[in-house]
Amino acid sequence: MPIHLVHLIVAIIAEVIATSALKASNGFTVLVPSIVVIVGYAIAFYFLALTLKVMPVGVTYAIWSGLGVVLVAIVGAVLYRQVPDFWAMLGIALIMAGVIVINLMSKTVTH
């Protein structure tokens, strides 16, 4: 696997952890989850910046945010029991489809 894809995966995972910790931070009033948010976003943006050395910004951001939305929705459903309704799941499925199309069909994604 090319290193820029590893960087993108790390960026996505860090962003999902940070975003998921936002709820637990209770508006940055709980210390440990607040630290997780800050460190997680710092890691996410660092690795996103490394990815952007190789991949176009639009495609990178589409993959990063699209997979982030899907994964945060899963975490929200599992950890916080925030189960999406039909329309939310349909929208998430469309986001997933878009990420798949970009990765499989676009010539701007470097593999």
Side-chain angles (χ1 to χ4, degrees):
M1 177 178 295
I3 192 68
H4 65 277
L5 293 181
V6 173
H7 291 158
L8 183 56
I9 291 167
V10 171
I12 292 166
I13 291 169
E15 187 267 335
V16 168
I17 290 169
T19 301
S20 301
L22 271 173
K23 178 153 178 65
S25 77
N26 196 28
F28 289 102
T29 61
V30 181
L31 182 61
V32 173
S34 298
I35 292 170
V36 170
V37 170
I38 294 165
V39 171
Y41 281 129
I43 292 168
F45 283 111
Y46 174 75
F47 281 94
L48 188 63
L50 293 179
T51 304
L52 291 174
K53 289 182 175 183
V54 177
M55 290 178 62
V57 68
V59 170
T60 301
Y61 188 73
I63 295 168
W64 181 66
S65 61
L67 289 177
V69 166
V70 171
L71 294 173
V72 168
I74 292 168
V75 170
V78 172
L79 289 183
Y80 301 117
R81 303 196 192 290
Q82 298 172 336
V83 180
D85 63 12
F86 170 79
W87 295 109
M89 288 194 290
L90 177 62
I92 290 168
L94 291 171
I95 291 169
M96 289 174 54
V99 170
I100 291 167
V101 166
I102 288 170
N103 277 292
L104 295 180
M105 308 295 280
S106 176
K107 290 183 171 126
T108 59
V109 176
T110 55
H111 293 283

